[in-house]
Amino acid sequence: MPRSDQLQQMGDADPIRRLRRAAWKWLSIGLAFLASCYVLLEAQSAHIEFAQWLLLPFIGTLALWRFLVAHLNDNRRVRDGRLLPRFGLGNNVSILRGLELIMLSGFLLIPRPQGWTAWIPALLYTSADILDYVDGYVARVRDEVTGLGEELDQLFDGAGLLIATLLAMRYGTLTWWFFPFGAARFLFLLGLWIRKQRGLPVHPLTESRSRRPIAGLTMGFMTAMLWPIVKPPASILAGLLFMLPFGASFLRDWLVVSGAIDPRSERYLRLRSWLETTLIGYLPVIVRFSLAGLLVFDAWMTFGDLAGEVTAFAQSGFSAPDIVVPLFAAIKLLAIPMLVLGAAGRFVAFMLVFPIGLTIVLVGFTDMRAGLLVLDLLTLVLGTGRFSLWQPSNEIFGRRAGG
């Protein structure tokens, strides 16, 4: 063996030992986290036997430890290939995110909790979404981007979406035919494995400007699907609107890696340009003006029968309806000029989700409210398109934090 290789192995030995100790520490932290969650849940929900909740989180914690031990040598900095002796703050945040998703998996084996504990699955997934943003940001600003971090990120993205989808299906928020949506990443990897086993070519996956925004919006959508107050048919309708762009993104990626399309070909580039002009340029203009017009009509109806709307909210058991109903109406009125101007349209659409969604849940599902929900979610997905005054979401969704 060349002397340079021997020195490299000697230099790597000590970092590997330190990383292995760190992996054992994370196993201890994971088991302590598991025990703490069990004690908390058992104390707060006497009507549920939480012993069976332990099964999947215990297995998941061991599997995460085994994954770390097996991939210690991947903790190499992407920039120069150096094996880092510590996981780094970014990877540690990723591992914490993984533990939260592992705890979330335990809820698949028990009935839906009641009271405030019913919000724990949504809080776990929301926290994991936030950490998904933080870990990459921290790794990039600290120059600790590693192959291990990228592997963890991809693993938790796929596993988190699958667990959240299965949980939403178990709670009746989504139906069984959303399963391929939740399992999309693993189905994609299975397809790649089958192609390799059959000796078929697998082409490199090229960059896509839409992949990151769609992934971020999808995780936000799945967070809402775990809220205890979200129910069909509104959840099914919203799911269809989010599933279509998500599925189209995975289909495009599969056509690229399977060689069915060449993303550098002139024909493909022309088609992409036309789709971007139509779906991202002009269609959102029609959607946002339609939403603004429907909001005008909705506000007119609300203020025309404000007492009846307050009564409907009060009968649903919602607290302080005399404050909430005018507040919701005010949010809708403020949204109208911002939508017309195309000013921060995605953020406006996000804010509108709450008054529109809660009204559907508490008061009832009508054609007008369904129209508001569809147009609002389309604005959230597509943005405001051409002739927009200000679109900060394009910068936020289109760029890696810390990049």
Side-chain angles (χ1 to χ4, degrees), residues 112-152:
R112 190 169 202 169
Q114 302 299 314
W116 74 267
T117 54
W119 288 90
I120 292 180
L123 292 174
L124 282 172
Y125 193 66
T126 302
S127 177
D129 283 353
I130 295 172
L131 293 182
D132 181 36
Y133 182 88
V134 172
D135 60 3
Y137 172 81
V138 170
R140 280 183 282 275
V141 298
R142 292 170 60 93
D143 192 22
E144 294 175 344
V145 178
T146 65
L148 175 62
E150 294 177 350
E151 292 168 2
L152 289 172

Side-chain angles (χ1 to χ4, degrees), residues 217 220-221 224-225 227 229-230 234 238 242 291 295 328 331-332 335 345-361 369 372-381:
L217 290 169
F221 159 72
M225 291 301 100
W227 294 353
I229 60 174
V230 175
F242 278 92
L291 176 58
L295 284 171
F328 282 178
I331 291 174
K332 293 174 184 178
R346 274 199 173 108
F347 295 106
V348 171
F350 175 74
M351 292 303 300
L352 285 172
V353 167
F354 297 96
I356 295 172
L358 282 174
T359 302
I360 290 174
V361 170
R369 291 170 189 147
L372 283 170
L373 181 64
V374 169
L375 293 172
D376 185 57
L377 293 179
L378 283 175
T379 303
L380 188 60
V381 172

Side-chain angles (χ1 to χ4, degrees), residues 15 23 31 37 97 111 113 136 142 169 232 240 248 287 295 304 308 347 352 360 365:
L31 293 176
C37 289
R97 175 194 175 205
R142 292 170 60 93
M169 290 165 54
L240 289 173
V287 170
L295 284 171
F347 295 106
L352 285 172
I360 290 174
F365 195 81

Side-chain angles (χ1 to χ4, degrees), residues 23 60-74 87 95 147-156:
T61 302
L62 294 180
L64 175 58
W65 166 77
R66 186 67 187 88
F67 181 90
L68 291 174
V69 171
H71 293 81
L72 295 178
N73 198 48
D74 294 335
F87 285 137
I95 296 169
L148 175 62
E150 294 177 350
E151 292 168 2
L152 289 172
D153 189 55
Q154 293 174 8
L155 173 63
F156 296 149

